[in-house]
Amino acid sequence: SAPFYGMVTHIMVTPRVLSELIKQTVHHGRHDQIQVNNGSITFGAASLSITGPYGPVQVVSAPFLERHDRIAPALGSGSVFEGSLAAPTVKDLGGGVTIQANANAASKFVAADNGDYIYRVVAVGDNGISVPVDTVAVSVAAGDQVTFTISHASHANVKYLRVYRSAKDATSADGALLIDEVKVTAQDTVVTDNNANIPGASEILFLNFAPDYMCYYQMLSLVRRPLAQVSTTFPFLLMMFGAPAVKLPQKMFVVKNAGVNASSGLQSVSDTSLLGLHI
């Protein structure tokens, strides 16, 4: 709709969200959920689409939307790459205070979130991943913004921070979930949490794969590589390296904070933003 006037051809979700959508169609659908194709019986939605004003839009499972680093690493675990990256520290703000929660109009913490939280931070740079560092527990109430400062021994080697938050009233940050990635530009980096990113949630991509919207950049020429011969034929692999690029990001969208609740199914999503070229 105005002012963008675009349309999408595919809705890309994580496998967890897709399975929940299929389950909801089975539980609440007012049509036959058993399909027979060439003698094969399928129960549930074999192909899921959502109808838009211009027709059905296919919902596609996109495993790459599930972050491999969504769970905080254990304390003491360092880089898995060559080299090393100095561990950051939580800066003392004075009087022994290292983390604080104060009222902020932009906060999305609600009454159900009231409790104590511990944050775990990992620095990421060209030399790998640092050893994690934890904050002390901070008491958060509805309408609060959490603030703390991470100090780096050599910030030139640090690109960004991965910030994890524990479950409410947890005794440690073990099992904490990723909530943000913060760019590092100075010796001290201020980290704020307004609960804008919900732990354990994922993004939904609304994309249009038409050539006018997206393109593909070929990075290396087509390569033919022989494979192991295990029969009378000679198998080979055709391989080409490239990357997709978004030509019209203002006509594609990301909806974040989509998650599955064990008791009520698919959670509501919020905070729609334009899709940037980082895809």
Side-chain angles (χ1 to χ4, degrees):
S1 61
F4 303 111
Y5 296 108
M7 68 179 186
V8 298
T9 60
H10 293 79
I11 301 172
M12 308 191 79
V13 300
T14 63
R16 289 186 302 149
V17 171
L18 180 62
S19 65
E20 181 62 31
L21 287 172
I22 292 175
K23 185 172 70 173
Q24 290 187 12
T25 63
V26 173
H27 287 179
H28 305 293
R30 298 182 179 179
H31 52 85
D32 189 4
Q33 292 290 335
I34 298 179
Q35 307 165 48
V36 180
N37 297 307
N38 297 324
S40 176
I41 299 177
T42 302
F43 177 74
S47 178
L48 185 63
S49 299
I50 297 177
T51 302
Y54 43 83
V57 180
Q58 186 177 3
V59 182
V60 181
S61 175
F64 67 86
L65 290 176
E66 289 278 19
R67 294 285 300 260
H68 72 281
D69 51 7
R70 59 191 294 265
I71 301 177
L75 282 178
S77 60
S79 174
V80 294
F81 305 106
E82 293 184 3
S84 60
L85 191 65
T89 57
V90 183
K91 186 176 181 180
D92 190 332
L93 303 177
V97 176
T98 57
I99 185 170
Q100 50 192 348
N102 299 310
N104 187 284
S107 176
K108 297 183 183 297
F109 281 107
V110 296
D113 300 317
N114 290 358
D116 294 344
Y117 295 92
I118 302 173
Y119 292 82
R120 181 165 294 177
V121 179
V122 176
V124 181
D126 293 335
N127 291 331
I129 303 170
S130 76
V131 173
V133 61
D134 283 2
T135 69
V136 297
V138 58
S139 295
V140 179
D144 277 352
Q145 172 182 269
V146 178
T147 305
F148 58 94
T149 299
I150 296 296
S151 184
H152 315 275
S154 178
H155 74 275
N157 295 326
V158 182
K159 302 301 182 184
Y160 62 93
L161 302 174
R162 290 188 187 133
V163 183
Y164 301 84
R165 191 177 75 204
S166 72
K168 182 172 66 173
D169 296 328
T171 57
S172 74
D174 293 340
L177 297 177
L178 183 70
I179 62 167
D180 203 2
E181 290 182 332
V182 182
K183 184 178 180 180
V184 171
T185 58
Q187 194 78 24
D188 293 337
T189 303
V190 178
V191 178
T192 59
D193 178 21
N194 286 311
N195 202 32
N197 300 318
I198 300 175
S202 62
E203 296 177 335
I204 297 177
L205 305 185
F206 292 79
L207 307 179
N208 189 315
F209 288 153
D212 292 341
Y213 290 76
M214 296 187 69
C215 63
Y216 177 81
Y217 286 108
Q218 182 177 333
M219 296 181 175
L220 288 177
S221 300
L222 185 67
V223 178
R224 183 182 184 275
R225 301 179 66 92
L227 300 177
Q229 185 178 356
V230 295
S231 63
T232 56
T233 60
F234 292 90
F236 61 89
L237 169 68
L238 295 177
M239 181 171 55
M240 182 171 64
F241 292 90
V246 179
K247 296 168 67 175
L248 292 174
Q250 67 271 24
K251 292 185 179 293
M252 303 188 201
F253 299 87
V254 175
V255 175
K256 66 179 185 179
N257 292 334
V260 177
N261 187 291
S263 60
S264 58
L266 189 69
Q267 294 177 343
S268 60
V269 294
S270 63
D271 209 352
T272 307
S273 58
L274 293 176
L275 177 64
L277 295 177
H278 61 275
I279 186 169

